[in-house]
């Protein structure tokens, strides 16, 4: 048992460090936590993000595990982790704007698109020249995304016409393309009548309206589609096979929306705050109740950190990561919410301030505001518990009253 | 990255599981609970024959000289089996105390006997309910004689020898550990009634009992912390083992118990409870692994790793054992079902090396040091 690199891993790390030294500047202090970034996925540094993405792509580091000629270097997941570890020590822009496209959309395109599509779209996405979004959720369903209503109808000339609307689409306002799940047959049970396409977000009939979030920013959007035309070669998978295709995307989503989230706000920041505050009975850091809370959150963070090491070990041995990989988001999202709320309570009446007025630049207020979204996006806490219960522990699936009912006969609520 | 046990260690673990699943079923545990012995003597003998007590004791002192990673995998299996034997007190506490603070002579005197299963050892520190602090230690060790009283000493009724925390002068600077023969004159043991009857406890009174110093005067408190840190990591493996059994029991029962025409495992309230158990158990396991690494390498992070492993494992075992009863419904609350054994062992393991509250304070103290 050790944390050492294997000789191959060490060699790769050395190579990565040399490359980073030549292409980026080392971070001096700690990375600043910017509450704005937490909610926009760092979209406000778009130009810098694009430039850094391009530099990485040219060297093959942007998608290390993807094949050569597809924007990658045919590397291992372990190499990809090593690159991430080293990259985090440098003052470079985040890859937030590309996370959905490269994490979910392009892998789906690679699995179901034709050769021509791969040739056309993969490289510009890897380079950060083109941004993709995921058009799944609708007003009628996010957890139950197969309940969607956006309609795709086949025209006489073989093309498709799409009408309907999507909601909560992160980054749509600056996206070039999107993968969209549509209903092509309302007369069969909901999972069977779906078809996946990719579309141009800049084409006529696509109306993108940013939604103001509870947190004030506008990371996500509502989108209306009015008679948009889509050629048949933009279909991913067979007609009616959309659910299977979507599962590929969602599988990648679970890997992408992992433990890295939460903006880095954790126990060290809480301790930093506690050192500066006086409570009724002395310094906050000396208060037993405060210390117990710090310990509670520390064991969860440390537990996740070492769980990641176990996952990396499996990867390093060429094994599939175990089910332990699925616990990260549940732990991180709730911890962010609870820890931030506790920090604000320590701040007392000043806890209500936000932004630069607030203690420590408002990072806890920022974490507290963004955490409800983190508990919902990419599978709610409840859906993730279902997934652990069913896929990891092997418990029965929920009873589905709509399973064999044609879509257009399923009862709807408000 | 190689943050896992190796194949040999996994094989040892499989062997231990196989052995214990034959020799130590919950019937064995029930036997001790319901009988009037404080441990299962036959099982203890068989464990000794396997050489497990000497897993981490160097060969020169009669042990197997394997190491702490090996001891961790055995600890997990002992925890799974709720083994009603004085393994933790003899191995994690007594033997570790001798290894850490003992002279060459003391090592030669005691360790081979521990390894051979010839003596049972324990560690006595608390004297009253509440926190154990330098000022609460009234037992004195002066001119080679021990006087005072220790309470709720685990395996006290059956131990041959004990390491005792005692006062030679005043305050923390006066504290020292000593080793005492519990069969000697002047030792009076009174059995305690405890929640976990599969582990004997007693109050022990000393009146002018001859004892030998273990480590230096004035270093007793620091020595004890080091011993407790190491024991906490090993105990965390026992707790993780127990917690995993609770999850497996709850899952098995939920899949086979029907209510409202369907398995209760299909109700989300049950599914989510079990998912939470899983998350808690995995976090605890990962923290315990880090502790194992620290124990194995003697890393300077050991005190922090120990506190995190201890808190995480105590929380996981508490949660899994109580929600296992809840998942079973009425039958889970019966003496006849095994659920309560885990509920009680979770408390016993969670208190014996000091409560969660104290370990949390210590954890943050370690964090403060590491950030300084
Ligand atoms: C910040 C943010 C970014 C997002 N980005 C995108 C994006 O880029 N693309 C995209 O397609 N979507 C995106 N989403 C949408 C997200 O996937 C959905 O909001 C989410 O899946 C929940 O769906 P819903 O909003 O319809 O809520 P509902 O599904 O209606 O859920 C409401 C409540 O009911 C619970 N619930 C629902 N079904 C069950 C069940 N079976 N068992 C137990 N409880 C259940 C939920 O857990 C929740 O508490 C984003 C959401 C957020 C908050």
């Amino acid at each position: 048992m050790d944390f050492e690199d294997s000789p191959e891993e060490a060699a790769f790390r050395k190579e990565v460090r040399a490359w980073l030294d030549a292409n980026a500047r080392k971070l001096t202090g700690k990375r600043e936590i910017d509450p704005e970034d937490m909610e926009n996925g760092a979209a406000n540094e778009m130009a810098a993000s694009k430039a850094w993405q391009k530099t990485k792509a040219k060297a093959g580091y942007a998608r290390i595990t993807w094949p050569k000629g597809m924007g990658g270097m045919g590397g291992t997941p372990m190499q990809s982790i090593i690159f991430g570890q080293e990259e985090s020590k440098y003052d470079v822009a985040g890859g937030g704007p590309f996370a959905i496209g490269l994490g979910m959309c392009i892998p789906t395109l690679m699995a179901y698109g034709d050769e021509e599509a791969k040739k056309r779209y993969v490289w510009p996405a890897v380079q950060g020249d083109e941004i993709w979004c995921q058009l799944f959720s609708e007003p009628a369903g996010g957890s139950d995304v197969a309940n969607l209503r956006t309609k795709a109808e086949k025209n006489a000339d073989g093309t498709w016409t799409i009408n309907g609307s999507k909601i909560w689409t992160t980054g749509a306002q600056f996206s070039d393309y999107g993968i969209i799940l549509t209903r092509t047959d309302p007369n069969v049970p909901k999972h069977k009548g779906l078809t996946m396409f990719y579309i141009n977000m800049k084409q006529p009939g696509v109306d993108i309206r940013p939604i103001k979030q509870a947190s004030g920013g506008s990371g996500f959007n509502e989108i209306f589609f009015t008679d948009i035309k889509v050629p048949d070669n933009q279909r991913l998978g067979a007609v009616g096979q959309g659910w299977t295709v979507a599962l590929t995307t969602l599988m990648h989503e679970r890997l992408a929306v992992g433990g890295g989230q939460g903006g880095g706000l954790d126990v060290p920041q809480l301790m930093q705050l506690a050192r500066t505050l006086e409570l009724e009975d002395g310094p906050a850091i000396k208060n037993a109740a405060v210390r117990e809370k710090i310990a509670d959150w520390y064991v969860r963070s440390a537990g996740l950190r070492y769980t990641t090491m176990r996952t990396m070990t499996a990867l390093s041995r060429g094994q599939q990561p175990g089910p332990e990989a699925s616990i990260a988001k549940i732990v991180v999202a709730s911890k962010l919410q609870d820890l931030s709320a506790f920090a604000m309570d320590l701040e007392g009446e000043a806890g209500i301030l936000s932004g630069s007025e607030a203690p420590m630049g408002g990072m806890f207020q920022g974490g507290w505001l963004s955490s409800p979204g983190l508990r919902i996006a990419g599978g709610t806490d409840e859906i993730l518990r279902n997934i652990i219960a069913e896929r990891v522990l092997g418990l029965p699936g929920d009873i589905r009253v709509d399973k064999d009912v044609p879509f257009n006969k399923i009862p709807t609520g408000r | 990255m190689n943050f896992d046990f190796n194949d040999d260690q996994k094989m040892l673990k499989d062997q231990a599981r196989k052995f214990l699943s034959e020799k130590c079923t919950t019937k064995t545990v029930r036997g001790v609970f319901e009988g009037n012995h404080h441990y299962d003597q036959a099982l203890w003998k068989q464990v000794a024959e396997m050489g497990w007590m000497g897993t981490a004791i160097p060969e020169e002192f009669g042990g197997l000289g394997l190491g702490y990673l090996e001891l961790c995998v055995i600890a997990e299996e002992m925890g799974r089996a709720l083994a009603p034997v004085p393994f933790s007190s003899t191995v994690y506490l007594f033997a570790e105390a001798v290894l850490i603070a003992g002279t060459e002579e003391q090592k030669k005197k005691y360790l081979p006997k521990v390894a051979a299963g010839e003596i049972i050892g324990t560690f006595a520190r608390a004297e009253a309910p509440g926190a154990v602090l330098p000022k609460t230690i009234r037992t004195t060790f002066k001119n080679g004689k021990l006087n005072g009283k220790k309470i709720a000493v685990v395996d006290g009724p059956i131990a041959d020898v004990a390491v005792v925390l005692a006062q030679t002068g005043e305050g923390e600077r006066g504290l020292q550990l000593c080793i005492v023969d519990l069969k000697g004159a002047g030792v009076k043991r009174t059995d305690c009634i405890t929640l976990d009857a599969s582990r004997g406890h007693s109050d022990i009174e000393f009146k002018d009992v001859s004892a030998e110093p273990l480590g230096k005067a004035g270093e007793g408190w620091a020595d004890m912390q080091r011993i407790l840190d190491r024991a906490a990591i090993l105990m965390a493996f026992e707790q993780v083992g127990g917690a995993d059994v609770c999850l497996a029991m709850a899952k098995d029962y939920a899949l086979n118990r029907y209510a409202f025409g369907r398995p209760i495992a299909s109700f989300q309230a049950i599914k989510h409870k079990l998912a939470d158990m899983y998350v808690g158990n995995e976090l605890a396991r990962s923290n315990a692994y880090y502790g194992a690494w620290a124990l194995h390498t003697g890393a300077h992070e050991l005190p922090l790793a120990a506190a995190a492993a201890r808190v995480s494992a105590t929380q996981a075992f508490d949660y899994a054992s109580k929600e296992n009863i809840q998942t079973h419904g009425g039958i889970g609350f019966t003496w006849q079902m095994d659920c309560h054994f885990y509920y009680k062992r979770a408390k016993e393991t969670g208190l014996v090396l000091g409560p969660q509250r104290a370990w949390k304070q210590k954890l943050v103290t370690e964090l403060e040091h590491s950030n300084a």
Side-chain angles (χ1 to χ4, degrees):
Chain A
M1 188 179 274
D2 61 57
F3 295 101
E4 307 299 320
D5 285 334
S6 70
E8 298 79 41
E9 288 161 3
F12 182 76
R13 195 182 292 278
K14 209 171 141 201
E15 184 189 311
V16 165
R17 278 186 188 155
W19 183 84
L20 283 165
D21 278 336
N23 290 280
R25 226 180 10 169
K26 246 199 155 125
L27 269 180
T28 41
K30 280 184 195 148
R31 192 182 294 279
E32 289 287 309
I33 294 177
D34 180 353
E36 292 264 308
D37 282 353
M38 277 197 251
E39 75 169 277
N40 298 333
N44 34 359
E45 348 170 73
M46 184 67 88
S49 288
K50 283 193 167 188
W52 178 237
Q53 186 72 13
K54 188 162 277 182
T55 310
K56 284 196 287 185
K58 288 213 177 91
Y61 289 130
R63 295 310 284 179
I64 287 169
T65 57
W66 291 6
K68 281 193 182 128
M70 294 274 247
M73 55 163 58
T76 63
M78 197 58 200
Q79 290 179 329
S80 175
I81 289 169
I82 289 173
F83 185 87
Q85 288 173 335
E86 295 303 320
E87 187 189 24
S88 71
K89 299 173 193 161
Y90 289 77
D91 185 15
V92 294
F98 319 110
I100 290 175
L102 297 178
M104 296 177 238
C105 305
I106 299 292
T108 310
L109 185 96
M110 281 160 74
Y112 290 96
D114 57 27
E115 284 313 308
E116 208 174 312
K118 290 186 218 171
K119 234 184 239 148
R120 162 65 187 82
Y121 294 106
V122 175
W123 181 240
V126 173
Q127 280 211 89
D129 283 340
E130 289 175 354
I131 294 180
W132 287 65
C133 61
Q134 178 202 12
L135 301 152
F136 283 21
S137 301
E138 292 191 9
S143 304
D144 183 14
V145 72
N147 194 41
L148 58 86
R149 296 175 188 175
T150 292
K151 237 189 316 185
E153 289 165 303
K154 193 151 194 177
N155 304 313
D157 64 356
T159 62
W160 295 81
T161 299
I162 296 179
N163 277 291
S165 73
K166 294 285 174 182
I167 199 165
W168 323 131
T169 316
T170 301
Q173 68 271 55
F174 40 75
S175 287
D176 301 284
Y177 297 93
I179 57 172
I180 182 167
L181 192 57
T182 64
R183 181 155 314 277
T184 42
D185 186 353
N187 300 305
V188 294
K190 65 181 184 183
H191 289 102
K192 297 190 175 141
L194 302 174
T195 304
M196 186 83 81
F197 298 91
Y198 65 88
I199 59 166
N200 183 340
M201 295 296 288
K202 307 259 156 94
Q203 79 188 80
V206 178
D207 178 11
I208 302 170
R209 302 182 192 169
I211 299 174
K212 187 164 180 182
Q213 292 163 187
S215 46
S218 289
F220 57 35
N221 303 268
E222 183 163 25
I223 306 165
F224 299 92
F225 303 99
T226 316
D227 289 333
I228 71 161
K229 293 278 172 287
V230 179
D232 192 50
N233 65 5
Q234 289 184 199
R235 178 165 42 80
L236 296 171
V239 175
Q241 202 202 350
W243 186 245
T244 311
V245 181
L247 288 180
T248 309
T249 317
L250 295 175
M251 186 189 76
H252 284 281
E253 176 163 40
R254 278 211 295 145
L255 296 175
V257 187
Q261 302 218 0
L265 189 54
D266 210 331
V267 165
Q269 289 75 26
L270 180 59
M271 287 182 70
Q272 195 183 332
L273 177 75
R275 279 196 205 97
T276 64
L277 297 180
E278 273 299 311
L279 301 184
E280 292 77 1
D281 56 354
I285 191 71
K286 294 291 161 215
N287 179 287
V290 172
R291 293 166 76 87
E292 287 211 18
K293 291 282 193 184
I294 290 173
D296 282 334
W297 288 311
Y298 178 81
V299 301
R300 291 182 87 71
S301 289
L304 264 193
R305 185 159 64 243
Y306 304 126
T307 299
T308 306
M309 307 263 179
R310 287 167 59 202
T311 305
M312 284 166 66
T313 302
L315 289 171
S316 169
R317 292 176 181 173
Q319 299 159 351
Q320 283 297 313
E324 65 274 0
S326 57
I327 69 178
K329 203 188 73 127
I330 294 187
V331 175
V332 168
S334 296
K335 176 159 61 63
L336 179 64
Q337 190 167 42
D338 297 347
L339 182 149
S340 306
F342 185 72
M344 287 155 67
D345 194 74
L346 289 181
E347 290 170 6
E349 274 142 84
I352 198 65
L353 302 174
S354 89
S356 55
E357 299 274 297
M360 289 177 68
M363 64 170 73
F364 297 105
Q365 285 74 7
W368 182 79
L369 270 177
S370 63
S371 60
L374 191 53
R375 289 184 57 198
I376 295 165
T380 64
D381 281 3
E382 292 75 21
I383 292 297
L384 291 179
R385 284 187 171 83
N386 280 352
I387 288 174
I388 291 176
E390 292 167 25
R391 305 217 194 123
V392 179
L393 300 176
L395 305 184
D398 283 357
I399 288 176
R400 301 216 310 253
V401 291
D402 57 0
K403 193 163 175 238
D404 302 312
V405 182
F407 174 74
N408 52 17
K409 300 266 164 17
I410 295 175
T412 56
R414 245 202 298 174
Chain B
M1 179 66 53
N2 181 23
F3 188 53
D4 194 4
F5 291 93
N6 69 26
D7 288 344
D8 287 344
Q9 288 150 1
K10 285 180 183 166
M11 207 153 80
L12 179 66
K13 187 172 184 207
D14 290 344
Q15 281 170 359
R17 182 167 308 185
K18 191 159 171 289
F19 173 85
L20 287 167
S21 66
E22 286 165 15
K23 316 279 182 195
C24 182
T25 63
T26 49
K27 269 210 190 101
T28 319
V29 181
R30 185 171 292 276
V32 176
F33 247 96
E34 294 174 354
N36 34 29
H37 294 293
H38 296 289
Y39 71 122
D40 189 301
Q41 236 166 328
L43 177 63
W44 183 239
K45 242 180 111 186
Q46 285 167 316
V47 169
E49 279 159 19
M50 300 293 285
W52 289 354
M53 271 76 103
T55 307
I57 294 177
E59 278 172 291
E60 52 171 322
F61 302 120
L64 298 178
L66 286 171
Y68 286 99
L69 295 178
E70 286 75 7
L71 187 53
C72 286
V73 302
I74 289 177
E76 185 180 338
E77 295 308 317
M78 296 296 268
R80 284 185 71 89
L82 299 180
V85 289
F87 191 75
S88 52
S89 33
T90 303
V91 180
Y92 317 159
L93 289 170
F94 182 80
E96 282 303 308
V98 174
L99 274 165
I100 281 195
T103 61
E104 198 64 14
E105 245 162 67
Q106 284 172 320
K107 290 179 193 171
K108 278 193 192 133
K109 179 172 168 191
Y110 293 107
L111 296 177
K113 287 190 181 153
V114 167
E118 287 163 13
I119 52 170
I120 293 172
T122 188
F123 193 104
R125 54 185 209 120
E127 301 188 6
V132 178
L133 301 167
K135 68 177 175 200
T136 66
I137 304 301
R138 304 241 159 79
T139 298
T140 57
F141 179 50
K142 282 175 183 160
N143 307 320
K145 299 288 182 198
L146 197 58
N147 278 289
K149 186 179 173 187
K150 297 287 178 183
I151 60 158
V153 179
V154 61
D155 294 315
I158 53 172
D160 302 292
V161 283
V163 171
V164 177
L165 178 66
Q167 189 55 267
T168 63
E170 237 175 83
E172 186 177 328
R173 267 177 297 150
L175 290 173
Q176 185 173 26
L177 298 179
C178 58
I179 301 182
V180 58
D181 178 355
L182 293 176
K183 299 197 164 137
V187 177
K188 188 174 159 225
R189 299 188 238 191
T190 316
D191 288 1
C192 304
I193 298 169
T194 69
L195 288 171
D196 182 2
S198 65
R199 309 283 279 111
H201 289 70
S202 68
D203 293 346
I204 311 181
E205 242 181 293
F206 303 101
K207 264 206 191 104
D208 284 330
V209 181
S210 297
E212 54 183 284
L214 177 69
K216 296 199 184 77
E219 287 177 14
W221 189 254
D223 286 343
M224 182 182 74
Q225 299 302 333
R226 280 155 70 209
I227 295 159
L228 289 178
D229 284 348
R230 303 169 77 79
I233 293 165
L234 295 161
M235 191 64 91
F237 276 88
E238 288 206 10
Q239 293 168 304
V240 166
D244 268 359
V245 176
C246 292
L247 174 56
M249 280 172 81
K251 176 183 150 180
D252 183 64
Y253 188 79
L255 284 169
N256 293 297
R257 167 75 179 173
Y258 278 62
F260 301 94
R262 49 198 265 215
I264 58 166
S266 67
F267 296 119
Q268 280 195 355
I270 298 289
K271 287 165 74 171
H272 290 191
K273 193 190 286 305
L274 267 56
D276 285 340
M277 273 191 210
Y278 175 81
V279 171
N281 288 4
E282 286 306 310
L283 294 177
R285 175 174 294 280
S286 298
N287 279 313
Y289 277 29
Y290 187 62
W293 168 82
L295 200 51
H296 169 63
T297 56
H300 70 88
E301 294 94 335
L302 194 143
L304 177 59
R310 169 99 183 133
V311 171
S312 198
T314 301
Q315 292 179 341
F317 199 6
D318 266 344
Y319 183 76
S321 63
K322 73 178 179 179
E323 297 307 327
N324 181 35
I325 294 181
Q326 185 68 15
T327 303
H328 278 72
I331 191 103
F333 188 56
T334 62
W335 186 265
Q336 165 222 337
M337 275 304 281
D338 293 337
C339 300
H340 66 110
F341 295 152
Y342 298 87
Y343 187 58
K344 293 167 182 173
R345 183 60 67 82
K347 234 349 131 215
E348 196 273 334
T349 53
L351 293 173
V352 67
L353 305 173
Q356 238 193 100
R357 185 190 46 71
W359 283 94
K360 286 179 177 176
Q361 300 301 327
K362 182 171 147 69
L363 190 158
V364 179
T365 303
E366 294 300 333
L367 276 180
E368 288 178 293
H369 291 331
S370 68
N371 285 359

